[in-house]
Amino acid sequence: MTYSTAQSPNLLRSVFLILPALLLAACSGSSSGGGNSSPAGSGGASVTLSASAGSVAAGGSVVLTWSSSGTSSCTASGGWSGSRAISGSQTVGPINQTSTYTLSCSGEGGGAVRQVTVQVGNGNGVTVNLSASPSAVAAGNNSTLTWSSSGASSCTASGGWSGSRAASGSFTVGPINARTTYQLNCTGAAGNGVGMVTVQVVDKTLRWQAPSLNVDGTPLNDLAGYVIYWGRNSRAYTDSFTINSPAVTEWEATMAAGDYYFAMTAFDSQNNESDYSNEVLKTIPD
């Protein structure tokens, strides 16, 4: 659906997308006049993140180094947390279990996320690598855990699974109905090592708050519907879907599994379209 480029002086406010623990500030910029246009600054953000070592002995530490471009702020999560400068380095530790460090940066150029994982061994050559595929599933679905180790002869599962395991292999876990962490402790003549991975539970549903006011603060009385935009890159939307009902406040995504950036607009009875909403990054499960 294509909307009129003639905008009234009293445009409706933008809609707000809602995801658990993720509600971003509304995007700035002028209102879009066409249903398939993209905001300025498409996909200009980038982030690099590295660790000084890929594995350490229990209780050890590593130096994380990062840089970014097209961003104005960064936030750490996972094995570390808090606000970070757009570039820098930091020593993290003591590390007592395999940990993943995540850095999310955003700015006018969009947003970008990078992760690095540090494995924990005993310092004598025992390491464990444990991964999950997929790492995000719909509630009730399964994931396959795959692992390998060096210097180990046997392994024991704990956390979301249990029992003895070989030094390498794969195992399907599920049904998974909540965020679950899986741990693998491996031992051998050289000592022991630990691997850990977390599987997230996600759904295909987007939810939002309907706008109730125009940008000048007056009541919005002629809301007509919404347009959902998405794409693989931040602020570079390649597809859209129109909802011609102001009463609808959730929508189930039907695109192929993967990570997508979503934003929305609202439009009134005169086809005046609001600015883009906040942008959210959502994993669509299989």
Side-chain angles (χ1 to χ4, degrees):
M1 182 174 183
T2 302
Y3 302 104
S4 169
T5 57
Q7 304 290 338
S8 70
N10 193 28
L11 294 171
L12 62 166
R13 284 185 175 175
S14 59
V15 64
F16 281 87
L17 269 170
I18 304 171
L19 286 178
L22 180 58
L23 180 58
L24 305 179
C27 299
S28 61
S30 60
S31 298
S32 59
N36 292 311
S37 62
S38 297
S42 300
S46 64
V47 178
T48 63
L49 175 65
S50 62
S52 58
S55 63
V56 296
S61 62
V62 297
V63 177
L64 301 181
T65 303
W66 69 95
S67 63
S68 65
S69 62
T71 66
S72 56
S73 63
C74 296
T75 301
S77 59
W80 58 341
S81 62
S83 298
R84 296 292 184 274
I86 60 174
S87 63
S89 63
Q90 180 181 334
T91 299
V92 294
I95 306 171
N96 293 303
Q97 61 186 24
T98 297
S99 301
T100 297
Y101 300 89
T102 302
L103 188 68
S104 305
C105 298
S106 62
E108 292 185 359
V113 179
R114 288 292 179 270
Q115 294 181 326
V116 64
T117 298
V118 178
Q119 305 285 339
V120 171
N122 73 338
N124 293 317
V126 176
T127 60
V128 182
N129 294 293
L130 176 63
S131 62
S133 180
S135 59
V137 299
N141 282 9
N142 301 331
S143 180
T144 299
L145 304 182
T146 302
W147 68 95
S148 62
S149 63
S150 63
S153 58
S154 64
C155 300
T156 302
S158 60
W161 60 338
S162 62
S164 298
R165 298 288 184 267
S168 63
S170 62
F171 188 84
T172 299
V173 292
I176 304 170
N177 292 300
R179 181 179 183 271
T180 305
T181 297
Y182 302 88
Q183 184 167 314
L184 191 66
N185 299 271
C186 296
T187 62
N192 62 80
V194 179
M196 184 178 296
V197 68
T198 298
V199 178
Q200 306 283 348
V201 174
V202 296
D203 62 25
K204 298 183 178 183
T205 304
L206 287 173
R207 299 175 178 87
W208 59 88
Q209 296 174 348
S212 60
L213 300 172
N214 292 298
V215 292
D216 64 357
T218 59
L220 171 60
N221 298 316
D222 59 348
L223 179 64
Y226 313 93
V227 184
I228 300 172
Y229 297 90
W230 67 90
R232 292 285 191 172
N233 297 306
S234 175
R235 299 185 182 179
Y237 310 125
T238 56
D239 295 282
S240 64
F241 183 83
T242 300
I243 298 174
N244 291 297
S245 171
V248 174
T249 56
E250 63 179 43
W251 176 73
E252 184 170 334
T254 57
M255 68 282 298
D259 293 334
Y260 296 87
Y261 292 88
F262 289 89
M264 294 183 64
T265 60
F267 60 90
D268 61 21
S269 59
Q270 301 301 311
N271 284 338
N272 295 309
E273 190 174 6
S274 75
D275 195 3
Y276 286 104
S277 72
N278 59 304
E279 182 180 75
V280 294
L281 174 60
K282 183 174 177 64
T283 299
I284 303 300
D286 292 325

